[in-house]
Each structure stands twice: as C-alpha cells, then as structure tokens.
Amino acid sequence: STQDRILQQWLEFWERNRLQIIGALVLVVLVFVGWGGTIYYQGYREDKAAALYAALPQEGDLRREGLESIARDYTKTGTGAFAAFQLGREDYEKQHYDQALKWYQPLMGLSGKQAMIGAMSQNNVAMIYEAEGEWGKALEIYQQMATDAANVAKAYSYYNMGRVAQNMGDSEEARRWFQMALEEGTGLPVADRARDRLLWLNIGSQ
C-alpha cells in the first residue's frame, strides 16, 4: 500500500542518515539550552547590579566606589551603563575631562534599551571637546548625531553644530545650522535659542 511504501522509504532514509539526524537534533538542543542559559544569566546579572545600585549610599566616597564597582563588574547591563554615565557626569562637573571621557566613550553607540544613555554620552563627549577648545572633534560628533536616523532630537544637534561653527569663526556655516535647528525644532525651546543666535549673527554682520 502507499502507507507501507512511505514507511519503508522513511526507514531506509533513517538508516542512511541517522548519525547526521541525531547530530543535528543534539546541536539544536544544545543551542536552545545555551540560549536559554544566556538569557537567564543576563537577567541574573541585571538583577544583581540593580540590587547593588539600590543599596548605594546617597553620597560620599562609598557611593563613588560602589558606582565604579558596578560600572566595572556589570559593564553589559543597563545598570552598569547608567553607573558609568553617572561617573562620567560627576567627573565632567568637576572638570576632570580625561576621566570623564574614560567613562563616556565606551557608552557611545549603545542601542536598544540603552540608546538614550548612548546618545547622552555621545553628546557629553562633544561638550568635553568644546570645553577643551577642540572644536573640530566636537563638530564631528554633532554631525554624526545629526545624521543618525535614530536621533529624534536632530534640532539640538543642528543647534550645537551652529554654536561650534560660531566659536570657530565661521558665521555663514553657523547661520546654516541655526536655520536648520529653527526649522527642525518648531515648537521646541531650541528653536527660540536658534532664532536668538541668528538675530545676533545678523546684527553683528551689519
């Protein structure tokens, strides 16, 4: 019968290929178990980092040491990234720029749930370069942010590019970026700031 022939063909196929079939099934199981274990381990580390962060004192050297420990030992967790960002901000406010860059730069380019930390770190690195008078480096970062398709705050990037161009003495380029910030940022505070900058540039050119 047809069913007998199909069964016979299947048995013959099994005899010829059983080692390969068993190997493939074992591989699938191992991949599934490994993937599940990785997800569990990542979740465990995130929970551990969050618990350590919640137990930190509100201020002082012990808090700083705790943040450094979390940032160092839980680098691939959201809490670890946030701890590193806070350390960078503290060092930036103290004008310890080299130390701040050490914390911020590894965070640049973060995506997914950590995309906001990545974007803020990128922006703060550019601000450090501004503070150090390295206008070219600052402008390059702002340009990267302005061309990032995921950037939902391009008006601010254009505005920052205008500021840097103005500080570099390039009034025409500054006007161009402030105008783009004005158009892109309609209804946002940055549009008012861009308008004020354009006004001062026009007064200065008269």
Side-chain angles (χ1 to χ4, degrees):
S1 67
T2 301
Q3 290 183 345
D4 290 338
R5 288 199 301 273
I6 293 174
L7 178 59
Q8 183 62 35
Q9 290 173 354
W10 166 247
L11 290 173
E12 291 174 357
F13 177 80
W14 169 259
E15 287 298 326
R16 290 196 306 270
N17 302 283
R18 61 182 178 179
L19 292 179
Q20 292 91 330
I21 294 172
I22 292 172
L25 289 173
V26 170
L27 180 61
V28 169
V29 171
L30 289 175
V31 168
F32 179 78
V33 171
W35 178 79
T38 299
I39 296 297
Y40 173 81
Y41 181 67
Q42 289 174 344
Y44 168 78
R45 285 180 58 78
E46 183 62 66
D47 291 344
K48 180 68 173 177
L52 290 171
Y53 183 87
L56 290 176
Q58 292 299 311
E59 56 186 18
D61 292 340
L62 288 178
R63 178 176 177 79
R64 172 83 187 194
E65 291 173 8
L67 286 172
E68 290 179 353
S69 177
I70 293 171
R72 181 182 63 249
D73 299 336
Y74 297 89
T75 54
K76 294 185 179 181
T77 67
T79 303
F82 184 64
F85 179 81
Q86 285 192 295
L87 289 164
R89 184 176 60 185
E90 287 181 7
D91 287 330
Y92 173 79
E93 290 174 351
K94 295 175 182 177
Q95 298 184 3
H96 298 166
Y97 296 137
D98 288 344
Q99 189 69 16
L101 287 173
K102 188 190 80 170
W103 295 114
Y104 280 142
Q105 286 177 327
L107 302 176
M108 295 169 62
L110 289 178
S111 58
K113 295 180 180 180
Q114 301 172 27
M116 182 60 71
I117 291 177
M120 292 172 65
S121 298
Q122 191 174 16
N123 184 79
N124 289 358
V125 167
M127 290 176 63
I128 289 173
Y129 287 141
E130 283 192 68
E132 294 181 331
E134 298 193 52
W135 308 113
K137 289 183 177 181
L139 184 60
E140 183 179 353
I141 292 177
Y142 288 136
Q143 287 174 331
Q144 291 173 357
M145 296 181 72
T147 56
D148 184 353
N151 183 2
V152 295
K154 290 186 178 182
Y156 290 90
S157 298
Y158 294 144
Y159 176 78
N160 288 332
M161 291 162 67
R163 286 193 306 98
V164 172
Q166 190 175 10
N167 286 324
M168 295 174 72
D170 192 340
S171 297
E172 287 306 311
E173 192 71 0
R175 281 193 184 89
R176 183 165 77 92
W177 294 122
F178 287 141
Q179 185 62 42
M180 291 182 68
L182 182 61
E183 296 170 1
E184 181 76 21
T186 302
L188 297 174
V190 69
D192 295 331
R193 281 183 260 167
R195 188 180 293 107
D196 290 342
R197 291 269 184 167
L198 283 169
L199 177 62
W200 282 110
L201 280 171
N202 291 334
I203 291 175
S205 65
Q206 293 177 357

